[in-house]
Amino acid sequence: MNSNIKWGSVLIAAVLLMAPVSAVQAKSPVPTMTIAQEGDAVQPEGNDAGKNPQAVPDQPTDAGEPSAEQAPQARDANQAAASSAVEETQFRNLAAGLSYEWSETPEASHPDDGHKLTDGKYGNLDMNDPAWVGHLRGKTREVVFDLGEEKSIGKITAHFFQDYPENSILVPLTVSMYVSDDKENWGLLSHNATQLLWGEGPPRQETFEWDGNRDGIKGGNTDGKLAYARYVKVTFTMHHSQWEYIDEIEIMGTDGKADGAVKVPAEQPHFLEPGEATGGIRNLNLLYNGQYENGLGDWNKERIIPNISYVNKDGEPTDWLF
């Protein structure tokens, strides 16, 4: 009898001890998490038994992870990004390690060893960084690359530095890209205007880019997205008195002729036809001035008169052209 009473007391005490624990579990704000691994399904216990085990993952987490309904959209975006990345990896920098030709030798204080623009080294926001190649005032500069053979070209970038007015360094107002088969006749890919302009401010950098897939080919009346050529020329305008710094040019493309690659017809020089573009002017003479070799941009009366009149063998005007 005493034995039965003793065991009954022990049983009642155990029940009373377990009851508060269950109550605490019921009121706990922390949900029960079930982690199912492949091939090892774990069933929920207690009050969660019989419920859909996907109910918890269906809710957004504190880390901002997408819900199950958002997952397909995320997968689609990732697949699109991956596809784009694959397409990008089909191209390489065709200019990497190449030598090139300058129309004007860079300044001795910021020289070029003939490979600085293709060595993959970008300059810091510091005018003394040796990666920068410097040009000071004068006419438009040209850089010509020989790819060795005709190749498919999809993107060209040129990277510049601006530190004005502190160190009198400005980016170009315009950078243009061309291609050619003979290094004499050039087809236009793009004219690119600066977005920084020539405003004052801290040291900055700007990349001028032609992207055929985005921009198309501006010259030659063609709908192509890739240019097929051997030679590439990058030109940039110069300020009449300030510095311009460049450190790298990249030519992205692939060997051989890719699908959709086209020849870019050369632009032939021609006179502007009278009409709306000339404001109705029929007799128009353009006299270039500025930085030209052998003083060709310097004009005086003796040089101007033959451009506006008929002259005899002594250089004297006998009649006017206009």
Side-chain angles (χ1 to χ4, degrees), residues 4-52:
N4 292 336
I5 295 174
K6 179 178 179 181
W7 283 109
S9 301
V10 171
L11 180 61
I12 293 172
V15 171
L16 292 176
L17 287 173
M18 292 175 63
V21 173
S22 299
V24 170
Q25 289 177 339
K27 295 180 181 179
S28 174
V30 180
T32 301
M33 297 297 293
T34 300
I35 302 175
Q37 298 180 348
E38 185 176 359
D40 184 18
V42 179
Q43 297 297 326
E45 299 179 354
N47 294 332
D48 291 331
K51 295 183 179 179
N52 185 355

Short mmCIF file of all heavy atoms in Angstrom, two decimals, residues 4-52:
data_model
loop_
_atom_site.label_atom_id
_atom_site.label_comp_id
_atom_site.label_asym_id
_atom_site.label_seq_id
_atom_site.Cartn_x
_atom_site.Cartn_y
_atom_site.Cartn_z
N ASN A 4 2.46 1.70 -3.28
CA ASN A 4 1.63 2.29 -4.34
C ASN A 4 1.49 3.79 -4.18
O ASN A 4 1.48 4.54 -5.14
CB ASN A 4 0.24 1.64 -4.32
CG ASN A 4 0.31 0.17 -4.76
OD1 ASN A 4 1.23 -0.20 -5.47
ND2 ASN A 4 -0.66 -0.63 -4.31
N ILE A 5 1.36 4.25 -2.93
CA ILE A 5 1.24 5.69 -2.68
C ILE A 5 2.50 6.41 -3.08
O ILE A 5 2.48 7.49 -3.67
CB ILE A 5 0.91 5.94 -1.18
CG1 ILE A 5 -0.47 5.37 -0.85
CG2 ILE A 5 1.00 7.42 -0.83
CD1 ILE A 5 -0.82 5.43 0.65
N LYS A 6 3.64 5.79 -2.81
CA LYS A 6 4.92 6.40 -3.14
C LYS A 6 5.07 6.59 -4.63
O LYS A 6 5.43 7.66 -5.13
CB LYS A 6 6.04 5.52 -2.59
CG LYS A 6 7.43 6.07 -2.91
CD LYS A 6 8.49 5.15 -2.29
CE LYS A 6 9.88 5.69 -2.64
NZ LYS A 6 10.94 4.83 -2.08
N TRP A 7 4.75 5.54 -5.42
CA TRP A 7 4.89 5.64 -6.88
C TRP A 7 3.86 6.60 -7.47
O TRP A 7 4.13 7.31 -8.44
CB TRP A 7 4.73 4.26 -7.52
CG TRP A 7 5.96 3.41 -7.36
CD1 TRP A 7 6.11 2.32 -6.58
CD2 TRP A 7 7.19 3.63 -8.04
NE1 TRP A 7 7.38 1.82 -6.68
CE2 TRP A 7 8.08 2.61 -7.59
CE3 TRP A 7 7.65 4.57 -8.95
CZ2 TRP A 7 9.38 2.51 -8.03
CZ3 TRP A 7 8.94 4.46 -9.39
CH2 TRP A 7 9.80 3.46 -8.94
N GLY A 8 2.68 6.69 -6.86
CA GLY A 8 1.68 7.64 -7.34
C GLY A 8 2.13 9.07 -7.13
O GLY A 8 1.91 9.95 -7.98
N SER A 9 2.80 9.35 -6.03
CA SER A 9 3.31 10.70 -5.77
C SER A 9 4.39 11.09 -6.76
O SER A 9 4.45 12.23 -7.24
CB SER A 9 3.87 10.76 -4.34
OG SER A 9 2.86 10.44 -3.40
N VAL A 10 5.22 10.13 -7.07
CA VAL A 10 6.29 10.39 -8.04
C VAL A 10 5.69 10.73 -9.41
O VAL A 10 6.13 11.64 -10.10
CB VAL A 10 7.23 9.18 -8.15
CG1 VAL A 10 8.20 9.35 -9.31
CG2 VAL A 10 7.98 8.99 -6.84
N LEU A 11 4.64 10.00 -9.83
CA LEU A 11 4.00 10.22 -11.12
C LEU A 11 3.36 11.61 -11.19
O LEU A 11 3.47 12.33 -12.18
CB LEU A 11 2.96 9.13 -11.36
CG LEU A 11 2.18 9.22 -12.70
CD1 LEU A 11 3.16 9.12 -13.87
CD2 LEU A 11 1.15 8.09 -12.77
N ILE A 12 2.66 12.02 -10.11
CA ILE A 12 2.01 13.35 -10.08
C ILE A 12 3.05 14.45 -10.15
O ILE A 12 2.90 15.45 -10.88
CB ILE A 12 1.16 13.48 -8.80
CG1 ILE A 12 -0.04 12.51 -8.87
CG2 ILE A 12 0.67 14.92 -8.62
CD1 ILE A 12 -0.83 12.44 -7.57
N ALA A 13 4.18 14.29 -9.46
CA ALA A 13 5.24 15.31 -9.47
C ALA A 13 5.84 15.45 -10.86
O ALA A 13 6.13 16.56 -11.34
CB ALA A 13 6.32 14.93 -8.46
N ALA A 14 5.99 14.35 -11.54
CA ALA A 14 6.57 14.39 -12.89
C ALA A 14 5.65 15.13 -13.84
O ALA A 14 6.08 15.91 -14.69
CB ALA A 14 6.82 12.96 -13.39
N VAL A 15 4.34 14.90 -13.74
CA VAL A 15 3.37 15.57 -14.60
C VAL A 15 3.38 17.06 -14.36
O VAL A 15 3.35 17.88 -15.28
CB VAL A 15 1.96 15.00 -14.37
CG1 VAL A 15 0.90 15.85 -15.11
CG2 VAL A 15 1.88 13.55 -14.84
N LEU A 16 3.43 17.47 -13.06
CA LEU A 16 3.45 18.89 -12.72
C LEU A 16 4.71 19.57 -13.23
O LEU A 16 4.68 20.74 -13.64
CB LEU A 16 3.34 19.06 -11.20
CG LEU A 16 1.98 18.65 -10.59
CD1 LEU A 16 2.02 18.75 -9.07
CD2 LEU A 16 0.86 19.51 -11.14
N LEU A 17 5.83 18.88 -13.22
CA LEU A 17 7.09 19.45 -13.72
C LEU A 17 7.07 19.63 -15.23
O LEU A 17 7.61 20.59 -15.77
CB LEU A 17 8.28 18.56 -13.32
CG LEU A 17 8.66 18.60 -11.84
CD1 LEU A 17 9.73 17.55 -11.55
CD2 LEU A 17 9.18 19.99 -11.47
N MET A 18 6.41 18.72 -15.96
CA MET A 18 6.38 18.79 -17.42
C MET A 18 5.40 19.83 -17.93
O MET A 18 5.60 20.43 -18.98
CB MET A 18 6.00 17.42 -18.00
CG MET A 18 7.07 16.34 -17.80
SD MET A 18 6.50 14.75 -18.37
CE MET A 18 6.29 15.10 -20.09
N ALA A 19 4.36 20.10 -17.20
CA ALA A 19 3.33 21.02 -17.66
C ALA A 19 3.85 22.43 -17.92
O ALA A 19 3.59 23.02 -18.95
CB ALA A 19 2.16 21.05 -16.66
N PRO A 20 4.66 23.04 -17.03
CA PRO A 20 5.18 24.40 -17.30
C PRO A 20 6.07 24.45 -18.54
O PRO A 20 6.06 25.42 -19.27
CB PRO A 20 5.97 24.73 -16.03
CG PRO A 20 5.36 23.86 -14.97
CD PRO A 20 4.97 22.61 -15.66
N VAL A 21 6.82 23.35 -18.74
CA VAL A 21 7.69 23.32 -19.90
C VAL A 21 6.87 23.38 -21.18
O VAL A 21 7.16 24.13 -22.11
CB VAL A 21 8.58 22.07 -19.88
CG1 VAL A 21 9.37 21.96 -21.18
CG2 VAL A 21 9.51 22.12 -18.68
N SER A 22 5.78 22.61 -21.24
CA SER A 22 4.93 22.62 -22.41
C SER A 22 4.30 23.97 -22.62
O SER A 22 4.15 24.45 -23.74
CB SER A 22 3.82 21.56 -22.26
OG SER A 22 4.39 20.27 -22.13
N ALA A 23 3.92 24.63 -21.52
CA ALA A 23 3.32 25.96 -21.63
C ALA A 23 4.31 26.97 -22.18
O ALA A 23 3.97 27.80 -23.02
CB ALA A 23 2.82 26.41 -20.25
N VAL A 24 5.56 26.86 -21.73
CA VAL A 24 6.58 27.76 -22.21
C VAL A 24 6.83 27.55 -23.69
O VAL A 24 6.95 28.50 -24.47
CB VAL A 24 7.90 27.58 -21.42
CG1 VAL A 24 9.03 28.35 -22.08
CG2 VAL A 24 7.70 28.03 -19.99
N GLN A 25 6.86 26.28 -24.10
CA GLN A 25 7.04 25.99 -25.51
C GLN A 25 5.90 26.53 -26.34
O GLN A 25 6.09 27.05 -27.43
CB GLN A 25 7.15 24.47 -25.72
CG GLN A 25 8.46 23.88 -25.20
CD GLN A 25 8.50 22.39 -25.36
OE1 GLN A 25 7.46 21.74 -25.48
NE2 GLN A 25 9.70 21.83 -25.36
N ALA A 26 4.69 26.47 -25.85
CA ALA A 26 3.53 26.93 -26.59
C ALA A 26 3.55 28.43 -26.79
O ALA A 26 3.10 28.96 -27.80
CB ALA A 26 2.25 26.53 -25.87
N LYS A 27 4.11 29.18 -25.78
CA LYS A 27 4.13 30.63 -25.86
C LYS A 27 5.39 31.18 -26.50
O LYS A 27 5.51 32.37 -26.74
CB LYS A 27 4.00 31.21 -24.44
CG LYS A 27 2.66 30.91 -23.79
CD LYS A 27 2.60 31.51 -22.40
CE LYS A 27 1.26 31.21 -21.73
NZ LYS A 27 1.20 31.77 -20.36
N SER A 28 6.36 30.34 -26.79
CA SER A 28 7.63 30.81 -27.33
C SER A 28 7.44 31.45 -28.70
O SER A 28 6.79 30.87 -29.56
CB SER A 28 8.61 29.63 -27.44
OG SER A 28 9.78 30.06 -28.09
N PRO A 29 8.02 32.68 -28.94
CA PRO A 29 7.88 33.33 -30.25
C PRO A 29 8.80 32.75 -31.30
O PRO A 29 8.73 33.12 -32.45
CB PRO A 29 8.26 34.79 -29.94
CG PRO A 29 9.23 34.68 -28.80
CD PRO A 29 8.74 33.51 -27.98
N VAL A 30 9.71 31.89 -30.94
CA VAL A 30 10.65 31.30 -31.89
C VAL A 30 10.03 30.12 -32.57
O VAL A 30 9.66 29.16 -31.91
CB VAL A 30 11.95 30.87 -31.18
CG1 VAL A 30 12.93 30.27 -32.18
CG2 VAL A 30 12.56 32.04 -30.43
N PRO A 31 9.83 30.12 -33.89
CA PRO A 31 9.18 29.00 -34.58
C PRO A 31 10.08 27.79 -34.62
O PRO A 31 11.30 27.89 -34.58
CB PRO A 31 8.92 29.55 -35.99
CG PRO A 31 9.99 30.58 -36.18
CD PRO A 31 10.22 31.18 -34.83
N THR A 32 9.46 26.64 -34.73
CA THR A 32 10.22 25.41 -34.88
C THR A 32 10.74 25.31 -36.30
O THR A 32 9.99 25.45 -37.27
CB THR A 32 9.33 24.19 -34.58
OG1 THR A 32 8.84 24.31 -33.25
CG2 THR A 32 10.11 22.89 -34.75
N MET A 33 12.05 25.15 -36.50
CA MET A 33 12.67 25.08 -37.81
C MET A 33 12.94 23.63 -38.17
O MET A 33 13.51 22.89 -37.37
CB MET A 33 13.98 25.87 -37.84
CG MET A 33 13.80 27.35 -37.59
SD MET A 33 12.82 28.15 -38.84
CE MET A 33 13.94 28.00 -40.23
N THR A 34 12.55 23.23 -39.36
CA THR A 34 12.79 21.88 -39.83
C THR A 34 13.71 21.95 -41.04
O THR A 34 13.37 22.60 -42.03
CB THR A 34 11.47 21.18 -40.22
OG1 THR A 34 10.62 21.14 -39.07
CG2 THR A 34 11.74 19.77 -40.71
N ILE A 35 14.87 21.35 -40.99
CA ILE A 35 15.83 21.36 -42.08
C ILE A 35 15.83 19.99 -42.72
O ILE A 35 16.18 19.01 -42.09
CB ILE A 35 17.24 21.70 -41.58
CG1 ILE A 35 17.22 23.07 -40.88
CG2 ILE A 35 18.24 21.68 -42.72
CD1 ILE A 35 18.53 23.44 -40.27
N ALA A 36 15.38 19.93 -43.95
CA ALA A 36 15.31 18.65 -44.66
C ALA A 36 16.47 18.56 -45.64
O ALA A 36 16.64 19.44 -46.48
CB ALA A 36 13.98 18.53 -45.39
N GLN A 37 17.26 17.53 -45.52
CA GLN A 37 18.35 17.28 -46.44
C GLN A 37 17.93 16.23 -47.44
O GLN A 37 17.05 15.43 -47.18
CB GLN A 37 19.61 16.83 -45.69
CG GLN A 37 20.13 17.89 -44.73
CD GLN A 37 21.37 17.41 -44.00
OE1 GLN A 37 21.68 16.23 -44.06
NE2 GLN A 37 22.03 18.31 -43.32
N GLU A 38 18.60 16.24 -48.59
CA GLU A 38 18.24 15.30 -49.63
C GLU A 38 18.40 13.88 -49.14
O GLU A 38 19.44 13.50 -48.61
CB GLU A 38 19.13 15.53 -50.85
CG GLU A 38 18.74 14.67 -52.04
CD GLU A 38 19.58 14.99 -53.24
OE1 GLU A 38 20.43 15.89 -53.15
OE2 GLU A 38 19.37 14.33 -54.28
N GLY A 39 17.28 13.09 -49.25
CA GLY A 39 17.33 11.69 -48.86
C GLY A 39 17.12 11.49 -47.37
O GLY A 39 17.22 10.38 -46.88
N ASP A 40 16.82 12.53 -46.62
CA ASP A 40 16.66 12.40 -45.16
C ASP A 40 15.56 13.35 -44.72
O ASP A 40 15.80 14.42 -44.18
CB ASP A 40 17.97 12.73 -44.46
CG ASP A 40 17.87 12.52 -42.95
OD1 ASP A 40 16.94 11.82 -42.54
OD2 ASP A 40 18.72 13.07 -42.23
N ALA A 41 14.30 12.97 -44.96
CA ALA A 41 13.17 13.82 -44.59
C ALA A 41 12.93 13.71 -43.11
O ALA A 41 12.77 12.63 -42.56
CB ALA A 41 11.92 13.39 -45.36
N VAL A 42 12.86 14.84 -42.42
CA VAL A 42 12.63 14.88 -40.99
C VAL A 42 11.24 15.44 -40.76
O VAL A 42 10.93 16.54 -41.22
CB VAL A 42 13.68 15.75 -40.28
CG1 VAL A 42 13.41 15.79 -38.79
CG2 VAL A 42 15.08 15.23 -40.57
N GLN A 43 10.41 14.73 -40.05
CA GLN A 43 9.05 15.16 -39.81
C GLN A 43 9.00 16.08 -38.60
O GLN A 43 9.72 15.90 -37.63
CB GLN A 43 8.15 13.94 -39.54
CG GLN A 43 8.06 12.99 -40.72
CD GLN A 43 7.44 13.66 -41.91
OE1 GLN A 43 6.56 14.51 -41.77
NE2 GLN A 43 7.91 13.29 -43.09
N PRO A 44 8.13 17.12 -38.65
CA PRO A 44 7.98 18.01 -37.51
C PRO A 44 7.33 17.29 -36.36
O PRO A 44 6.61 16.32 -36.54
CB PRO A 44 7.09 19.13 -38.05
CG PRO A 44 6.36 18.51 -39.21
CD PRO A 44 7.31 17.50 -39.79
N GLU A 45 7.57 17.79 -35.17
CA GLU A 45 7.05 17.17 -33.96
C GLU A 45 5.99 18.07 -33.32
O GLU A 45 5.86 19.25 -33.64
CB GLU A 45 8.18 16.92 -32.97
CG GLU A 45 9.24 15.98 -33.52
CD GLU A 45 10.36 15.77 -32.52
OE1 GLU A 45 10.33 16.44 -31.48
OE2 GLU A 45 11.25 14.96 -32.79
N GLY A 46 5.29 17.51 -32.34
CA GLY A 46 4.37 18.29 -31.54
C GLY A 46 3.24 18.87 -32.37
O GLY A 46 2.66 18.22 -33.22
N ASN A 47 2.91 20.15 -32.08
CA ASN A 47 1.78 20.80 -32.75
C ASN A 47 2.02 21.02 -34.24
O ASN A 47 1.09 21.31 -34.97
CB ASN A 47 1.50 22.16 -32.10
CG ASN A 47 1.02 21.98 -30.66
OD1 ASN A 47 0.44 20.95 -30.32
ND2 ASN A 47 1.28 22.98 -29.82
N ASP A 48 3.29 20.92 -34.70
CA ASP A 48 3.58 21.12 -36.11
C ASP A 48 3.33 19.87 -36.93
O ASP A 48 3.43 19.88 -38.14
CB ASP A 48 5.03 21.55 -36.31
CG ASP A 48 5.25 22.96 -35.79
OD1 ASP A 48 4.30 23.75 -35.80
OD2 ASP A 48 6.39 23.24 -35.40
N ALA A 49 3.05 18.77 -36.26
CA ALA A 49 2.87 17.52 -36.97
C ALA A 49 1.67 17.61 -37.90
O ALA A 49 0.62 18.12 -37.53
CB ALA A 49 2.67 16.37 -35.97
N GLY A 50 1.86 17.10 -39.13
CA GLY A 50 0.79 17.07 -40.10
C GLY A 50 0.70 18.31 -40.96
O GLY A 50 -0.05 18.35 -41.91
N LYS A 51 1.47 19.38 -40.61
CA LYS A 51 1.46 20.59 -41.42
C LYS A 51 2.45 20.48 -42.57
O LYS A 51 3.37 19.69 -42.53
CB LYS A 51 1.79 21.82 -40.57
CG LYS A 51 0.73 22.11 -39.51
CD LYS A 51 1.09 23.38 -38.75
CE LYS A 51 0.04 23.71 -37.70
NZ LYS A 51 0.41 24.93 -36.96
N ASN A 52 2.25 21.32 -43.58
CA ASN A 52 3.14 21.33 -44.73
C ASN A 52 4.53 21.77 -44.31
O ASN A 52 4.69 22.88 -43.81
CB ASN A 52 2.58 22.31 -45.77
CG ASN A 52 3.40 22.28 -47.05
OD1 ASN A 52 4.42 21.62 -47.11
ND2 ASN A 52 2.92 22.99 -48.06
#
